[in-house]
PDB file of all heavy atoms in Angstrom:
ATOM      1  N   LEU A   1       5.664 -10.098 -11.566  1.00 98.00           N
ATOM      2  CA  LEU A   1       6.423  -8.991 -11.033  1.00 98.00           C
ATOM      3  C   LEU A   1       6.339  -9.113  -9.498  1.00 98.00           C
ATOM      4  O   LEU A   1       5.294  -9.524  -8.959  1.00 98.00           O
ATOM      5  CB  LEU A   1       5.985  -7.666 -11.570  1.00 98.00           C
ATOM      6  CG  LEU A   1       6.291  -7.320 -12.958  1.00 98.00           C
ATOM      7  CD1 LEU A   1       5.548  -5.976 -13.447  1.00 98.00           C
ATOM      8  CD2 LEU A   1       7.810  -7.086 -13.118  1.00 98.00           C
ATOM      9  N   ARG A   2       7.362  -8.463  -8.952  1.00 98.00           N
ATOM     10  CA  ARG A   2       7.260  -8.300  -7.399  1.00 98.00           C
ATOM     11  C   ARG A   2       7.569  -6.790  -7.142  1.00 98.00           C
ATOM     12  O   ARG A   2       8.573  -6.323  -7.456  1.00 98.00           O
ATOM     13  CB  ARG A   2       8.337  -9.142  -6.790  1.00 98.00           C
ATOM     14  CG  ARG A   2       8.212  -9.094  -5.171  1.00 98.00           C
ATOM     15  CD  ARG A   2       9.307 -10.131  -4.592  1.00 98.00           C
ATOM     16  NE  ARG A   2       9.190 -10.068  -3.073  1.00 98.00           N
ATOM     17  CZ  ARG A   2       8.339 -10.751  -2.396  1.00 98.00           C
ATOM     18  NH1 ARG A   2       7.490 -11.557  -2.982  1.00 98.00           N
ATOM     19  NH2 ARG A   2       8.462 -10.668  -1.059  1.00 98.00           N
ATOM     20  N   LEU A   3       6.549  -6.169  -6.457  1.00 98.00           N
ATOM     21  CA  LEU A   3       6.655  -4.766  -6.079  1.00 98.00           C
ATOM     22  C   LEU A   3       7.151  -4.722  -4.606  1.00 98.00           C
ATOM     23  O   LEU A   3       6.683  -5.623  -3.702  1.00 98.00           O
ATOM     24  CB  LEU A   3       5.384  -4.105  -6.209  1.00 98.00           C
ATOM     25  CG  LEU A   3       4.778  -4.211  -7.622  1.00 98.00           C
ATOM     26  CD1 LEU A   3       3.359  -3.395  -7.616  1.00 98.00           C
ATOM     27  CD2 LEU A   3       5.640  -3.715  -8.632  1.00 98.00           C
ATOM     28  N   SER A   4       7.936  -3.786  -4.250  1.00 98.00           N
ATOM     29  CA  SER A   4       8.292  -3.525  -2.882  1.00 98.00           C
ATOM     30  C   SER A   4       8.058  -2.109  -2.537  1.00 98.00           C
ATOM     31  O   SER A   4       8.090  -1.145  -3.338  1.00 98.00           O
ATOM     32  CB  SER A   4       9.805  -3.867  -2.826  1.00 98.00           C
ATOM     33  OG  SER A   4      10.089  -5.224  -3.047  1.00 98.00           O
ATOM     34  N   CYS A   5       7.854  -1.947  -1.253  1.00 97.00           N
ATOM     35  CA  CYS A   5       7.639  -0.681  -0.670  1.00 97.00           C
ATOM     36  C   CYS A   5       8.397  -0.529   0.759  1.00 97.00           C
ATOM     37  O   CYS A   5       8.165  -1.352   1.521  1.00 97.00           O
ATOM     38  CB  CYS A   5       6.009  -0.363  -0.535  1.00 97.00           C
ATOM     39  SG  CYS A   5       5.628   1.109   0.253  1.00 97.00           S
ATOM     40  N   ALA A   6       8.980   0.628   0.803  1.00 96.00           N
ATOM     41  CA  ALA A   6       9.663   0.976   2.024  1.00 96.00           C
ATOM     42  C   ALA A   6       9.201   2.190   2.698  1.00 96.00           C
ATOM     43  O   ALA A   6       9.106   3.281   1.980  1.00 96.00           O
ATOM     44  CB  ALA A   6      11.113   0.911   1.919  1.00 96.00           C
ATOM     45  N   ALA A   7       8.820   2.236   3.900  1.00 94.00           N
ATOM     46  CA  ALA A   7       8.422   3.505   4.575  1.00 94.00           C
ATOM     47  C   ALA A   7       9.583   3.765   5.699  1.00 94.00           C
ATOM     48  O   ALA A   7      10.165   3.010   6.255  1.00 94.00           O
ATOM     49  CB  ALA A   7       7.140   3.210   5.454  1.00 94.00           C
ATOM     50  N   SER A   8       9.894   5.073   5.717  1.00 91.00           N
ATOM     51  CA  SER A   8      10.875   5.631   6.535  1.00 91.00           C
ATOM     52  C   SER A   8      10.522   7.050   6.978  1.00 91.00           C
ATOM     53  O   SER A   8       9.605   7.623   6.619  1.00 91.00           O
ATOM     54  CB  SER A   8      12.247   5.582   5.773  1.00 91.00           C
ATOM     55  OG  SER A   8      12.216   6.512   4.724  1.00 91.00           O
ATOM     56  N   GLY A   9      11.362   7.468   7.946  1.00 83.00           N
ATOM     57  CA  GLY A   9      11.121   8.867   8.370  1.00 83.00           C
ATOM     58  C   GLY A   9      11.417   8.864   9.899  1.00 83.00           C
ATOM     59  O   GLY A   9      12.171   8.162  10.466  1.00 83.00           O
ATOM     60  N   THR A  10      10.671   9.787  10.624  1.00 76.00           N
ATOM     61  CA  THR A  10      10.776   9.767  12.082  1.00 76.00           C
ATOM     62  C   THR A  10      10.106   8.500  12.620  1.00 76.00           C
ATOM     63  O   THR A  10       9.654   7.701  11.910  1.00 76.00           O
ATOM     64  CB  THR A  10       9.965  11.047  12.623  1.00 76.00           C
ATOM     65  OG1 THR A  10       8.740  11.080  12.168  1.00 76.00           O
ATOM     66  CG2 THR A  10      10.658  12.268  12.234  1.00 76.00           C
ATOM     67  N   ILE A  11      10.236   8.311  13.893  1.00 69.00           N
ATOM     68  CA  ILE A  11       9.718   7.127  14.562  1.00 69.00           C
ATOM     69  C   ILE A  11       8.285   6.836  14.108  1.00 69.00           C
ATOM     70  O   ILE A  11       7.363   7.782  14.183  1.00 69.00           O
ATOM     71  CB  ILE A  11       9.740   7.148  16.063  1.00 69.00           C
ATOM     72  CG1 ILE A  11      11.336   7.391  16.493  1.00 69.00           C
ATOM     73  CG2 ILE A  11       9.141   6.039  16.681  1.00 69.00           C
ATOM     74  CD1 ILE A  11      11.473   7.576  18.025  1.00 69.00           C
ATOM     75  N   ILE A  12       8.034   5.719  13.458  1.00 76.00           N
ATOM     76  CA  ILE A  12       6.740   5.254  12.824  1.00 76.00           C
ATOM     77  C   ILE A  12       5.991   4.221  13.611  1.00 76.00           C
ATOM     78  O   ILE A  12       6.698   3.229  13.942  1.00 76.00           O
ATOM     79  CB  ILE A  12       7.055   4.902  11.523  1.00 76.00           C
ATOM     80  CG1 ILE A  12       7.656   6.075  10.692  1.00 76.00           C
ATOM     81  CG2 ILE A  12       5.764   4.437  10.683  1.00 76.00           C
ATOM     82  CD1 ILE A  12       8.206   5.585   9.260  1.00 76.00           C
ATOM     83  N   ASN A  13       4.783   4.359  13.814  1.00 89.00           N
ATOM     84  CA  ASN A  13       3.897   3.361  14.295  1.00 89.00           C
ATOM     85  C   ASN A  13       2.997   2.941  13.175  1.00 89.00           C
ATOM     86  O   ASN A  13       1.863   3.598  13.179  1.00 89.00           O
ATOM     87  CB  ASN A  13       3.255   3.821  15.664  1.00 89.00           C
ATOM     88  CG  ASN A  13       2.280   2.729  16.209  1.00 89.00           C
ATOM     89  OD1 ASN A  13       2.336   1.605  15.747  1.00 89.00           O
ATOM     90  ND2 ASN A  13       1.494   3.118  17.067  1.00 89.00           N
ATOM     91  N   ILE A  14       3.371   2.093  12.391  1.00 92.00           N
ATOM     92  CA  ILE A  14       2.541   1.742  11.256  1.00 92.00           C
ATOM     93  C   ILE A  14       1.464   0.752  11.514  1.00 92.00           C
ATOM     94  O   ILE A  14       1.946  -0.382  12.059  1.00 92.00           O
ATOM     95  CB  ILE A  14       3.515   1.228  10.066  1.00 92.00           C
ATOM     96  CG1 ILE A  14       4.356   2.515   9.608  1.00 92.00           C
ATOM     97  CG2 ILE A  14       2.682   0.718   8.887  1.00 92.00           C
ATOM     98  CD1 ILE A  14       5.360   2.074   8.507  1.00 92.00           C
ATOM     99  N   GLN A  15       0.250   1.021  11.171  1.00 94.00           N
ATOM    100  CA  GLN A  15      -0.699   0.114  11.557  1.00 94.00           C
ATOM    101  C   GLN A  15      -1.122  -0.838  10.297  1.00 94.00           C
ATOM    102  O   GLN A  15      -1.670  -1.940  10.525  1.00 94.00           O
ATOM    103  CB  GLN A  15      -2.041   0.818  12.012  1.00 94.00           C
ATOM    104  CG  GLN A  15      -1.779   1.582  13.312  1.00 94.00           C
ATOM    105  CD  GLN A  15      -1.308   0.811  14.513  1.00 94.00           C
ATOM    106  OE1 GLN A  15      -2.063  -0.144  14.856  1.00 94.00           O
ATOM    107  NE2 GLN A  15      -0.231   1.088  15.088  1.00 94.00           N
ATOM    108  N   GLU A  16      -1.092  -0.256   9.114  1.00 95.00           N
ATOM    109  CA  GLU A  16      -1.478  -1.038   7.950  1.00 95.00           C
ATOM    110  C   GLU A  16      -0.667  -0.553   6.753  1.00 95.00           C
ATOM    111  O   GLU A  16      -0.437   0.820   6.756  1.00 95.00           O
ATOM    112  CB  GLU A  16      -2.964  -0.784   7.790  1.00 95.00           C
ATOM    113  CG  GLU A  16      -3.551  -1.538   6.661  1.00 95.00           C
ATOM    114  CD  GLU A  16      -5.011  -1.370   6.465  1.00 95.00           C
ATOM    115  OE1 GLU A  16      -5.652  -1.361   7.617  1.00 95.00           O
ATOM    116  OE2 GLU A  16      -5.517  -1.405   5.372  1.00 95.00           O
ATOM    117  N   MET A  17      -0.359  -1.397   5.856  1.00 96.00           N
ATOM    118  CA  MET A  17       0.295  -1.005   4.564  1.00 96.00           C
ATOM    119  C   MET A  17      -0.436  -1.783   3.609  1.00 96.00           C
ATOM    120  O   MET A  17      -1.029  -2.813   3.781  1.00 96.00           O
ATOM    121  CB  MET A  17       1.752  -1.246   4.404  1.00 96.00           C
ATOM    122  CG  MET A  17       2.566  -0.606   5.544  1.00 96.00           C
ATOM    123  SD  MET A  17       4.419  -1.026   5.611  1.00 96.00           S
ATOM    124  CE  MET A  17       4.844  -0.054   4.025  1.00 96.00           C
ATOM    125  N   GLY A  18      -0.587  -1.054   2.286  1.00 97.00           N
ATOM    126  CA  GLY A  18      -1.337  -1.668   1.262  1.00 97.00           C
ATOM    127  C   GLY A  18      -0.832  -1.189  -0.092  1.00 97.00           C
ATOM    128  O   GLY A  18      -0.053  -0.162  -0.125  1.00 97.00           O
ATOM    129  N   TRP A  19      -1.525  -1.803  -1.067  1.00 98.00           N
ATOM    130  CA  TRP A  19      -1.312  -1.433  -2.507  1.00 98.00           C
ATOM    131  C   TRP A  19      -2.554  -1.088  -3.127  1.00 98.00           C
ATOM    132  O   TRP A  19      -3.589  -1.835  -3.062  1.00 98.00           O
ATOM    133  CB  TRP A  19      -0.512  -2.616  -3.327  1.00 98.00           C
ATOM    134  CG  TRP A  19       0.803  -2.938  -2.870  1.00 98.00           C
ATOM    135  CD1 TRP A  19       1.279  -3.700  -1.956  1.00 98.00           C
ATOM    136  CD2 TRP A  19       2.003  -2.325  -3.340  1.00 98.00           C
ATOM    137  NE1 TRP A  19       2.551  -3.785  -1.897  1.00 98.00           N
ATOM    138  CE2 TRP A  19       3.114  -2.795  -2.747  1.00 98.00           C
ATOM    139  CE3 TRP A  19       2.213  -1.169  -4.288  1.00 98.00           C
ATOM    140  CZ2 TRP A  19       4.372  -2.438  -2.916  1.00 98.00           C
ATOM    141  CZ3 TRP A  19       3.555  -0.857  -4.516  1.00 98.00           C
ATOM    142  CH2 TRP A  19       4.564  -1.397  -3.816  1.00 98.00           C
ATOM    143  N   TYR A  20      -2.592   0.119  -3.803  1.00 98.00           N
ATOM    144  CA  TYR A  20      -3.610   0.546  -4.704  1.00 98.00           C
ATOM    145  C   TYR A  20      -3.117   0.705  -6.128  1.00 98.00           C
ATOM    146  O   TYR A  20      -1.916   0.737  -6.366  1.00 98.00           O
ATOM    147  CB  TYR A  20      -4.143   1.899  -4.237  1.00 98.00           C
ATOM    148  CG  TYR A  20      -5.047   1.739  -2.979  1.00 98.00           C
ATOM    149  CD1 TYR A  20      -4.385   1.425  -1.716  1.00 98.00           C
ATOM    150  CD2 TYR A  20      -6.357   2.130  -2.907  1.00 98.00           C
ATOM    151  CE1 TYR A  20      -5.102   1.330  -0.524  1.00 98.00           C
ATOM    152  CE2 TYR A  20      -7.047   2.006  -1.653  1.00 98.00           C
ATOM    153  CZ  TYR A  20      -6.565   1.682  -0.590  1.00 98.00           C
ATOM    154  OH  TYR A  20      -7.263   1.552   0.593  1.00 98.00           O
ATOM    155  N   ARG A  21      -4.092   0.649  -7.066  1.00 98.00           N
ATOM    156  CA  ARG A  21      -3.624   0.896  -8.437  1.00 98.00           C
ATOM    157  C   ARG A  21      -4.558   1.793  -9.131  1.00 98.00           C
ATOM    158  O   ARG A  21      -5.777   1.836  -8.807  1.00 98.00           O
ATOM    159  CB  ARG A  21      -3.550  -0.418  -9.157  1.00 98.00           C
ATOM    160  CG  ARG A  21      -4.685  -1.192  -9.312  1.00 98.00           C
ATOM    161  CD  ARG A  21      -4.453  -2.564 -10.043  1.00 98.00           C
ATOM    162  NE  ARG A  21      -5.680  -3.327 -10.253  1.00 98.00           N
ATOM    163  CZ  ARG A  21      -5.686  -4.455 -10.632  1.00 98.00           C
ATOM    164  NH1 ARG A  21      -4.570  -5.278 -10.798  1.00 98.00           N
ATOM    165  NH2 ARG A  21      -6.838  -5.197 -10.844  1.00 98.00           N
ATOM    166  N   GLN A  22      -4.145   2.424 -10.105  1.00 98.00           N
ATOM    167  CA  GLN A  22      -5.017   3.283 -10.993  1.00 98.00           C
ATOM    168  C   GLN A  22      -4.516   3.139 -12.471  1.00 98.00           C
ATOM    169  O   GLN A  22      -3.398   3.571 -12.847  1.00 98.00           O
ATOM    170  CB  GLN A  22      -4.899   4.778 -10.523  1.00 98.00           C
ATOM    171  CG  GLN A  22      -5.787   5.730 -11.221  1.00 98.00           C
ATOM    172  CD  GLN A  22      -5.888   7.128 -10.642  1.00 98.00           C
ATOM    173  OE1 GLN A  22      -4.916   7.501  -9.764  1.00 98.00           O
ATOM    174  NE2 GLN A  22      -6.877   7.983 -11.029  1.00 98.00           N
ATOM    175  N   GLY A  23      -5.412   2.560 -13.291  1.00 95.00           N
ATOM    176  CA  GLY A  23      -5.187   2.449 -14.664  1.00 95.00           C
ATOM    177  C   GLY A  23      -5.727   3.645 -15.415  1.00 95.00           C
ATOM    178  O   GLY A  23      -6.434   4.441 -14.883  1.00 95.00           O
ATOM    179  N   PRO A  24      -5.368   3.673 -16.791  1.00 88.00           N
ATOM    180  CA  PRO A  24      -5.825   4.766 -17.513  1.00 88.00           C
ATOM    181  C   PRO A  24      -7.325   4.857 -17.571  1.00 88.00           C
ATOM    182  O   PRO A  24      -8.049   3.923 -17.844  1.00 88.00           O
ATOM    183  CB  PRO A  24      -5.317   4.393 -18.921  1.00 88.00           C
ATOM    184  CG  PRO A  24      -4.110   3.557 -18.706  1.00 88.00           C
ATOM    185  CD  PRO A  24      -4.444   2.770 -17.487  1.00 88.00           C
ATOM    186  N   GLY A  25      -7.854   5.977 -17.236  1.00 89.00           N
ATOM    187  CA  GLY A  25      -9.356   6.112 -17.175  1.00 89.00           C
ATOM    188  C   GLY A  25      -9.976   5.631 -16.039  1.00 89.00           C
ATOM    189  O   GLY A  25     -11.319   5.742 -16.003  1.00 89.00           O
ATOM    190  N   ASN A  26      -9.401   5.013 -15.120  1.00 93.00           N
ATOM    191  CA  ASN A  26      -9.941   4.447 -14.031  1.00 93.00           C
ATOM    192  C   ASN A  26      -9.667   5.124 -12.687  1.00 93.00           C
ATOM    193  O   ASN A  26      -8.758   5.997 -12.583  1.00 93.00           O
ATOM    194  CB  ASN A  26      -9.474   2.919 -13.872  1.00 93.00           C
ATOM    195  CG  ASN A  26      -9.876   2.115 -15.019  1.00 93.00           C
ATOM    196  OD1 ASN A  26     -10.887   2.204 -15.575  1.00 93.00           O
ATOM    197  ND2 ASN A  26      -8.991   1.128 -15.270  1.00 93.00           N
ATOM    198  N   GLN A  27     -10.462   4.794 -11.693  1.00 95.00           N
ATOM    199  CA  GLN A  27     -10.234   5.400 -10.381  1.00 95.00           C
ATOM    200  C   GLN A  27      -9.219   4.511  -9.627  1.00 95.00           C
ATOM    201  O   GLN A  27      -9.036   3.322  -9.934  1.00 95.00           O
ATOM    202  CB  GLN A  27     -11.524   5.507  -9.570  1.00 95.00           C
ATOM    203  CG  GLN A  27     -12.510   6.458 -10.168  1.00 95.00           C
ATOM    204  CD  GLN A  27     -13.766   6.725  -9.217  1.00 95.00           C
ATOM    205  OE1 GLN A  27     -14.250   5.696  -8.755  1.00 95.00           O
ATOM    206  NE2 GLN A  27     -14.191   8.003  -8.996  1.00 95.00           N
ATOM    207  N   ARG A  28      -8.525   5.186  -8.594  1.00 97.00           N
ATOM    208  CA  ARG A  28      -7.657   4.228  -7.782  1.00 97.00           C
ATOM    209  C   ARG A  28      -8.476   3.302  -6.984  1.00 97.00           C
ATOM    210  O   ARG A  28      -9.516   3.537  -6.359  1.00 97.00           O
ATOM    211  CB  ARG A  28      -6.853   5.332  -6.891  1.00 97.00           C
ATOM    212  CG  ARG A  28      -5.678   4.599  -6.151  1.00 97.00           C
ATOM    213  CD  ARG A  28      -4.848   5.556  -5.410  1.00 97.00           C
ATOM    214  NE  ARG A  28      -4.203   6.496  -6.371  1.00 97.00           N
ATOM    215  CZ  ARG A  28      -3.338   7.432  -5.994  1.00 97.00           C
ATOM    216  NH1 ARG A  28      -2.875   7.608  -4.667  1.00 97.00           N
ATOM    217  NH2 ARG A  28      -2.781   8.257  -6.885  1.00 97.00           N
ATOM    218  N   GLU A  29      -7.945   2.066  -6.968  1.00 97.00           N
ATOM    219  CA  GLU A  29      -8.669   1.000  -6.365  1.00 97.00           C
ATOM    220  C   GLU A  29      -7.694   0.149  -5.480  1.00 97.00           C
ATOM    221  O   GLU A  29      -6.510   0.024  -5.662  1.00 97.00           O
ATOM    222  CB  GLU A  29      -9.380   0.054  -7.249  1.00 97.00           C
ATOM    223  CG  GLU A  29      -8.345  -0.652  -8.169  1.00 97.00           C
ATOM    224  CD  GLU A  29      -8.974  -1.637  -9.241  1.00 97.00           C
ATOM    225  OE1 GLU A  29     -10.266  -1.706  -9.231  1.00 97.00           O
ATOM    226  OE2 GLU A  29      -8.317  -2.247  -9.966  1.00 97.00           O
ATOM    227  N   LEU A  30      -8.283  -0.325  -4.432  1.00 98.00           N
ATOM    228  CA  LEU A  30      -7.425  -1.268  -3.476  1.00 98.00           C
ATOM    229  C   LEU A  30      -7.097  -2.510  -4.180  1.00 98.00           C
ATOM    230  O   LEU A  30      -7.948  -3.101  -4.821  1.00 98.00           O
ATOM    231  CB  LEU A  30      -8.321  -1.558  -2.264  1.00 98.00           C
ATOM    232  CG  LEU A  30      -7.784  -2.673  -1.360  1.00 98.00           C
ATOM    233  CD1 LEU A  30      -6.510  -2.054  -0.574  1.00 98.00           C
ATOM    234  CD2 LEU A  30      -8.710  -3.148  -0.248  1.00 98.00           C
ATOM    235  N   VAL A  31      -5.846  -2.902  -4.055  1.00 98.00           N
ATOM    236  CA  VAL A  31      -5.375  -4.205  -4.574  1.00 98.00           C
ATOM    237  C   VAL A  31      -5.260  -5.082  -3.400  1.00 98.00           C
ATOM    238  O   VAL A  31      -5.751  -6.289  -3.468  1.00 98.00           O
ATOM    239  CB  VAL A  31      -4.048  -4.076  -5.354  1.00 98.00           C
ATOM    240  CG1 VAL A  31      -3.432  -5.473  -5.738  1.00 98.00           C
ATOM    241  CG2 VAL A  31      -4.224  -2.950  -6.473  1.00 98.00           C
ATOM    242  N   ALA A  32      -4.493  -4.853  -2.429  1.00 98.00           N
ATOM    243  CA  ALA A  32      -4.330  -5.611  -1.265  1.00 98.00           C
ATOM    244  C   ALA A  32      -3.718  -4.771  -0.166  1.00 98.00           C
ATOM    245  O   ALA A  32      -3.072  -3.771  -0.326  1.00 98.00           O
ATOM    246  CB  ALA A  32      -3.301  -6.771  -1.502  1.00 98.00           C
ATOM    247  N   SER A  33      -3.962  -5.352   1.088  1.00 98.00           N
ATOM    248  CA  SER A  33      -3.582  -4.535   2.317  1.00 98.00           C
ATOM    249  C   SER A  33      -3.265  -5.532   3.354  1.00 98.00           C
ATOM    250  O   SER A  33      -3.850  -6.698   3.391  1.00 98.00           O
ATOM    251  CB  SER A  33      -4.552  -3.489   2.797  1.00 98.00           C
ATOM    252  OG  SER A  33      -5.798  -4.190   3.272  1.00 98.00           O
ATOM    253  N   ILE A  34      -2.381  -5.093   4.339  1.00 97.00           N
ATOM    254  CA  ILE A  34      -2.072  -6.085   5.453  1.00 97.00           C
ATOM    255  C   ILE A  34      -1.829  -5.175   6.654  1.00 97.00           C
ATOM    256  O   ILE A  34      -1.205  -4.096   6.471  1.00 97.00           O
ATOM    257  CB  ILE A  34      -0.709  -6.871   5.056  1.00 97.00           C
ATOM    258  CG1 ILE A  34      -0.390  -7.849   6.184  1.00 97.00           C
ATOM    259  CG2 ILE A  34       0.438  -5.962   4.664  1.00 97.00           C
ATOM    260  CD1 ILE A  34       0.627  -8.905   5.738  1.00 97.00           C
ATOM    261  N   THR A  35      -2.275  -5.634   7.705  1.00 95.00           N
ATOM    262  CA  THR A  35      -2.173  -4.981   9.095  1.00 95.00           C
ATOM    263  C   THR A  35      -0.938  -5.347   9.796  1.00 95.00           C
ATOM    264  O   THR A  35      -0.260  -6.409   9.353  1.00 95.00           O
ATOM    265  CB  THR A  35      -3.346  -5.091   9.929  1.00 95.00           C
ATOM    266  OG1 THR A  35      -3.365  -6.409  10.388  1.00 95.00           O
ATOM    267  CG2 THR A  35      -4.714  -4.785   9.204  1.00 95.00           C
ATOM    268  N   ARG A  36      -0.527  -4.578  10.706  1.00 91.00           N
ATOM    269  CA  ARG A  36       0.648  -4.973  11.552  1.00 91.00           C
ATOM    270  C   ARG A  36       0.363  -6.385  12.189  1.00 91.00           C
ATOM    271  O   ARG A  36       1.441  -7.093  12.264  1.00 91.00           O
ATOM    272  CB  ARG A  36       0.937  -4.063  12.634  1.00 91.00           C
ATOM    273  CG  ARG A  36       2.132  -4.424  13.568  1.00 91.00           C
ATOM    274  CD  ARG A  36       2.400  -3.213  14.569  1.00 91.00           C
ATOM    275  NE  ARG A  36       3.122  -2.138  13.644  1.00 91.00           N
ATOM    276  CZ  ARG A  36       4.337  -2.090  13.527  1.00 91.00           C
ATOM    277  NH1 ARG A  36       5.163  -3.027  13.884  1.00 91.00           N
ATOM    278  NH2 ARG A  36       4.874  -1.110  12.950  1.00 91.00           N
ATOM    279  N   GLY A  37      -0.789  -6.663  12.514  1.00 91.00           N
ATOM    280  CA  GLY A  37      -1.062  -8.039  12.994  1.00 91.00           C
ATOM    281  C   GLY A  37      -1.169  -9.173  12.032  1.00 91.00           C
ATOM    282  O   GLY A  37      -1.442 -10.269  12.308  1.00 91.00           O
TER     283      GLY A  37
END
């Protein structure tokens, strides 16, 4: 599968975007992240 995410709104200075997941009975956990650089 390929997931996509789009951020919008007022002028944005985004430093980092990432994906977290939460399965049944589990806590939310980091999957992957990427910085602007």
